[in-house]
């Protein structure tokens, strides 16, 4: 019985993640979610006190899913670090291509829609980005240690720019229904990271 | 009478732009818009056949507003081109700071929310981005002509990366309620553009 109910909870969260990757939070009707999963309203409110509580759990599920992707691809020490990063972007692109670029990143979508209006979700989303940044900063630090990046490369700042750009690229991929923005950014970022001189300049000419 | 009605139309569009810069399209209730502007439902549907038709006009208004900003800042031939670009980013940042980074870019917001689900709005939003890219590509080409960029700088690709990153930075600024992501991207982009070697590399090491 307990097993059954945890399974129901999992079904709701997983389907919620799918809906929130494609549609907005405001457009997500709990009724639709229940209809499509065949779960009763009573069960939903047994597990979650509100739509916000549900969204928090969906974000946590998505975070765990990404953690697995990071471990598998970025943690593969057999492959040189920048190749792992390029591979990570390639698999992300292919994942979006499977849905004709209709879906974006759940964390990016919710940040865009609710980042400035829902303090609870915003705090959680910021924490997710910090975790994601540390994965990228780590792999860049490994690249730097084997001289694939310049000795003065600022890997923390680069990781921040990575996520700013990657989220922007997903937004454009959705808009254009094409992987080109993701390819462009991927090529650009690897080229920049490997050739990049100083991150900051003193004064614009 | 005709003047009065055009004024009403303008009030609706301008207030709609404000609401859509802060809230999502799905969250935008026409009732709220009418209540806040004191316009009747009949007037609204006299001007616009649907919420989508209204959104199209709001995007057009925003585009015209940006065109004026581009002309004024990027078209100022007294100032070196990269300084103009840095100034443009700085005024954009300050504009967002005035609303504590709660508001984003209307075109970015709508792209994120509707880019893959509303073909009519998507087509318009893509056209807006193309226009915006050509402004940035132009100013970069002027910088290249006076040797502020490397001779082989690919100004079209740089302009694409600019908009990908700038939209990503706005998303993060909203999420963090801070201008830091915009400052980071601005410093980064100018540094990259001025120092950037080849945009593409053949193979990741």
């Amino acid at each position: 019985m307990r097993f059954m109910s945890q399974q129901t909870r999992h079904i709701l969260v997983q389907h919620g993640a799918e809906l929130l990757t494609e549609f907005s939070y405001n457009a997500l009707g709990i009724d639709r979610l229940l209809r499509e999963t065949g779960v009763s309203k009573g069960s939903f409110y047994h597990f979650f006190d509100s739509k916000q509580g549900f969204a928090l759990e969906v974000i946590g599920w998505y975070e765990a899913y990404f953690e697995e992707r990071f471990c598998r691809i970025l943690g593969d020490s057999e492959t040189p670090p920048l190749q792992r990063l390029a591979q990570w972007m390639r698999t992300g692109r292919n994942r979006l291509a499977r849905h004709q670029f209709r879906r974006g990143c759940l964390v990016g979508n919710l940040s865009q829609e609710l980042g400035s209006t829902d303090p609870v979700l915003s705090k959680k989303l910021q924490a997710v980005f910090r975790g994601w940044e540390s994965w990228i900063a780590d792999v860049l630090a490994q690249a730097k240690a084997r001289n694939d990046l310049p000795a003065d490369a600022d890997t923390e700042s680069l990781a921040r720019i990575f996520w700013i750009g990657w989220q922007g690229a997903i937004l454009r991929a959705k808009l254009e229904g094409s992987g080109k923005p993701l390819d462009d950014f991927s090529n650009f970022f690897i080229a920049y990271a490997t050739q990049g001189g100083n991150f900051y300049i003193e004064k614009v000419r």
Side-chain angles (χ1 to χ4, degrees), chain A residues 145-173:
Chain A
R146 63 199 291 279
N147 301 318
D148 287 347
L149 295 190
D152 62 353
D154 176 350
T155 51
E156 301 283 329
S157 297
L158 277 170
R160 248 177 98 75
I161 290 296
F162 174 84
W163 280 107
I164 284 174
W166 187 247
Q167 289 293 337
I170 292 174
L171 185 152
R172 287 300 288 280

Side-chain angles (χ1 to χ4, degrees), chain A residues 129-146:
Chain A
F129 272 123
R130 277 195 300 275
W132 289 3
E133 267 165 23
S134 76
W135 269 103
I136 302 297
D138 266 9
V139 87
L140 291 174
Q142 291 170 42
K144 186 170 153 177
R146 63 199 291 279

Side-chain angles (χ1 to χ4, degrees), chain A residues 80-129:
Chain A
L82 289 179
Q83 276 187 30
R84 284 179 244 158
L85 180 57
Q87 172 66 9
W88 191 88
M89 289 190 271
R90 206 153 40 231
T91 59
R93 179 213 190 281
N94 293 343
R95 201 169 52 89
L96 296 166
R98 278 204 296 278
H99 304 281
Q100 296 78 47
F101 303 98
R102 274 183 292 105
R103 296 186 181 178
C105 166
L106 182 132
V107 166
N109 291 359
L110 292 176
S111 297
Q112 177 79 338
E113 187 180 355
L114 305 166
S116 64
T117 53
D118 186 317
V120 174
L121 293 180
S122 172
K123 200 176 154 201
K124 174 69 183 169
L125 293 164
Q126 289 183 55
V128 173
F129 272 123

Side-chain angles (χ1 to χ4, degrees), chain A residues 10 20 50-51 59 94 97-98 113 151 156 163 175 178 189:
Chain A
H10 183 73
L20 283 173
S50 62
K51 187 171 168 182
I59 297 168
N94 293 343
R98 278 204 296 278
E113 187 180 355
E156 301 283 329
W163 280 107
L175 181 65
S178 145
F189 187 80

Side-chain angles (χ1 to χ4, degrees), chain A residues 37-53:
Chain A
T37 53
V39 173
S40 73
K41 192 166 259 181
S43 290
F44 180 87
Y45 286 104
H46 169 68
F47 295 126
F48 310 104
D49 53 356
S50 62
K51 187 171 168 182
Q52 188 194 56

